[in-house]
Amino acid sequence: MTSSAVTSSQPSRPPRPNLAFRQLRGRRSPAEFAAAVRRAAREIGEQVSCDARYIGRVESGEIRCPNYAYERVFLHMFPGRTLTDLGFTPRSSVRGRGARGTADTPPTRDLSPARTPGETCAGFEPYDPQYPYDPHIDHEESDVLRRAFMTGGSATVAAASLGPIGLAPEATAVERPVRRVGASAASALEDAVRRIRLLDDRHGADGLYRRAAAPLRAAYALLDAGATRQATAHRLHSGAGELAISVGWLAHDSGRFDDARSHYAEALATARMAGDCALEAHAFCNTAFLARDAGRPREAVRAAQAAQRIARPLGSPRLMSLLALREAGGWAGLADRTGCEQALTRAQALFERGPSDADPEWMSFYGEAELAGLEAQCWSALGDWQRAARHAGRAARLQDPHFTRNIALYTAELADDLARGGRPDEAAVAGLRVLELLDQVQSSRVQRMLAGTARVLLPHRRAAGVSAFLDRHAGAARTA
């Protein structure tokens, strides 16, 4: 879409938070409020790509005045109010002073590794709105750094809300009313992230996504409460961002792409405000994966390249390998075989350097099996079914039994590649193995893949084993 804002091109001082707009959001999360904006836009025939990141930019004061499309949507949402009532600067005062220099410039199509203006890590230190010597900050009201999901709630309530996934901190911590958050709450948040990842590895995303919403709300409520120490504040920001990515992944894997995009944007905003390069690289990594799955391969390439620029100083060859695979997936979606092969070669070379102490905790899933599985997806996108099947089969054989969901995924990939490669009998055998795993795994992604395989196999019903697979698949679909 066109520019989403009119902003000052090099402000002499940090932007002032838009407290009026923050108040209008109320107890809704940035992601929920962004969804309300998109709904309001549809009501009046507008089309805006509003997400949590955009809401964060408005509340931080980075967007001083919205473009005309957003203006119409906001005035529709809040009848009787003006832009000034919503906390924006009058349009007349931001025009004619280079205000369009940044916002109205269309995004570059260049996919080279030059750093984009919005990226903060490895470039400059982000503005910290809670720095005690900044005279322009209202420490009680500023929402720029803390990104609250709730207002008026205590840290006690937030910590207790981590319970829906079995992650509430110890009872004494919950019962004691506090104004500031300590290390125990940060630990509870980190445990929540680990628990969600563990459950996803074993059972898939479909049954988890709704349950994960409450811990995510609680995480940002803890940020709103503030921390007793700067080290704790950093842990809270990192944990909240990682939790947003985990919840985004649950939405992504269960086919809720719009929700996933908003959660990933939330994590990216959190990373940039906190100056957390590792979190920013992770957010871009998942954004690239989502863009590939959503049919936006060029965006996938650019997001993966941005992630690599940010992650390079972190010193993790395995992370760089995974990001190269994300880039390869984008090139495959663009049918650029050369670009894909170059990225795959780079991913293999980086992977062979082995693990290191700098590898992020969230990368526990990334081993030889995942490398082979992602390469299989690239060859499948390029239509090289034989090579894709070879890598998918290897991925399924190598996968640790703990990752039940991934075994189902790789086997479903294998079944589809075999079916499209003219080997229906082998495809049926692989498909039956997936159906057996679906008793343990709830993954819309796997189910969609298997449904596609079934459609390809329909003309081959007389081949050995195909009829049995199709009948069992049809029965499973009716039960679901």
Side-chain angles (χ1 to χ4, degrees):
M1 60 174 285
T2 59
S3 161
S4 61
V6 178
T7 59
S8 297
S9 59
Q10 297 295 331
S12 58
R13 68 181 187 181
R16 300 268 314 197
N18 186 336
L19 302 180
F21 197 87
R22 173 63 188 90
Q23 186 175 12
L24 290 170
R25 174 159 67 86
R27 299 176 71 87
R28 287 175 288 186
S29 74
E32 289 171 333
F33 192 70
V37 172
R38 295 194 299 271
R39 285 194 300 271
R42 290 193 293 270
E43 290 172 1
I44 61 173
E46 288 289 354
Q47 183 174 0
V48 295
S49 300
C50 187
D51 57 18
R53 180 182 172 197
Y54 178 87
I55 300 302
R57 292 176 65 205
V58 171
E59 293 178 4
S60 72
E62 179 184 346
I63 295 177
R64 296 170 57 202
C65 184
N67 71 12
Y68 288 109
Y70 275 103
E71 177 182 355
R72 287 189 287 272
V73 174
F74 291 149
L75 296 184
H76 170 68
M77 293 177 70
F78 304 104
R81 299 177 190 253
T82 65
L83 284 182
T84 304
D85 295 332
L86 302 181
F88 292 109
T89 302
R91 194 177 304 280
S92 58
S93 68
V94 296
R95 284 195 179 276
R97 296 185 299 173
R100 292 181 176 271
T102 301
D104 285 355
T105 303
T108 176
R109 306 297 288 180
D110 183 13
L111 304 188
S112 67
R115 190 169 182 78
T116 58
E119 294 163 21
T120 59
C121 287
F124 58 88
E125 198 64 24
Y127 161 60
D128 181 353
Q130 287 190 321
Y131 184 66
Y133 303 108
D134 193 310
H136 304 295
I137 299 307
D138 183 332
H139 296 279
E140 294 300 322
E141 298 296 334
S142 175
D143 188 51
V144 183
L145 179 63
R146 295 180 292 172
R147 303 283 289 167
F149 261 38
M150 304 176 186
T151 57
S154 69
T156 299
V157 174
S161 298
L162 294 173
I165 304 208
L167 301 161
E170 60 186 40
T172 54
V174 172
E175 293 168 0
R176 185 174 60 251
V178 293
R179 291 182 58 83
R180 293 284 179 176
V181 177
S184 61
S187 297
L189 176 54
E190 291 160 354
D191 287 343
V193 176
R194 296 186 186 102
R195 179 66 172 166
I196 288 174
R197 289 174 182 160
L198 177 65
L199 292 171
D200 176 50
D201 291 341
R202 291 180 177 173
H203 305 295
D206 286 17
L208 292 174
Y209 176 58
R210 296 302 180 191
R211 294 172 61 198
L216 184 57
R217 287 175 176 272
Y220 281 92
L222 291 175
L223 288 185
D224 193 42
T228 54
R229 298 176 180 273
Q230 185 58 40
T232 303
H234 179 78
R235 288 176 64 192
L236 287 172
H237 276 89
S238 178
E242 290 293 347
L243 186 57
I245 292 174
S246 292
V247 176
W249 166 248
L250 296 178
H252 178 176
D253 196 42
S254 56
R256 301 174 174 93
F257 288 173
D258 287 343
D259 289 353
R261 187 178 180 88
S262 191
H263 287 307
Y264 292 160
E266 183 75 35
L268 184 59
T270 301
R272 287 180 166 178
M273 285 184 291
D276 190 332
C277 295
L279 177 60
E280 187 174 355
H282 190 185
F284 269 123
C285 175
N286 278 45
T287 298
F289 200 19
L290 174 64
R292 187 208 71 171
D293 287 350
R296 299 190 299 270
R298 193 170 299 276
E299 179 186 329
V301 171
R302 294 181 64 185
Q305 290 176 340
Q308 289 171 79
R309 293 194 296 274
I310 295 160
R312 192 167 291 115
L314 301 177
S316 169
R318 285 285 169 92
L319 174 57
M320 293 297 293
S321 172
L322 177 60
L323 297 176
L325 283 169
R326 296 285 187 249
E327 181 183 341
W331 289 124
L334 290 168
D336 188 330
R337 191 182 185 95
T338 299
C340 180
E341 288 179 339
Q342 289 174 347
L344 288 175
T345 299
R346 197 163 67 249
Q348 288 277 4
L350 288 163
F351 184 87
E352 289 171 2
R353 295 186 188 179
S356 75
D357 292 340
D359 294 342
E361 181 182 349
W362 60 266
M363 285 188 61
S364 60
F365 69 93
Y366 186 56
E368 286 186 83
E370 181 73 4
L371 175 65
L374 291 174
E375 186 167 355
Q377 293 172 14
C378 288
W379 294 121
S380 179
L382 291 168
D384 192 335
W385 310 118
Q386 182 176 354
R387 189 175 295 189
R390 185 167 68 249
H391 284 284
R394 183 168 185 269
R397 290 191 302 273
L398 290 174
Q399 184 59 71
D400 186 321
H402 161 77
F403 293 92
T404 311
R405 178 262 180 198
N406 280 2
I407 295 174
L409 177 68
Y410 302 147
T411 309
E413 175 71 38
L414 172 62
D416 196 62
D417 294 332
L418 290 169
R420 295 177 190 277
R423 297 153 68 182
D425 51 342
E426 296 175 66
V429 172
L432 286 169
R433 288 204 298 271
V434 178
L435 287 171
E436 292 171 0
L437 290 170
L438 288 182
D439 292 337
Q440 308 170 51
V441 175
Q442 296 179 348
S443 172
S444 294
R445 178 190 297 268
V446 173
Q447 291 167 357
R448 288 193 302 270
M449 292 174 66
L450 211 55
T453 302
R455 287 193 295 271
V456 174
L457 288 178
L458 274 174
H460 306 280
R461 179 177 286 273
R462 294 184 179 181
V466 172
S467 181
F469 164 72
L470 292 175
D471 291 344
R472 185 168 175 185
H473 176 264
R478 285 193 298 269
T479 302

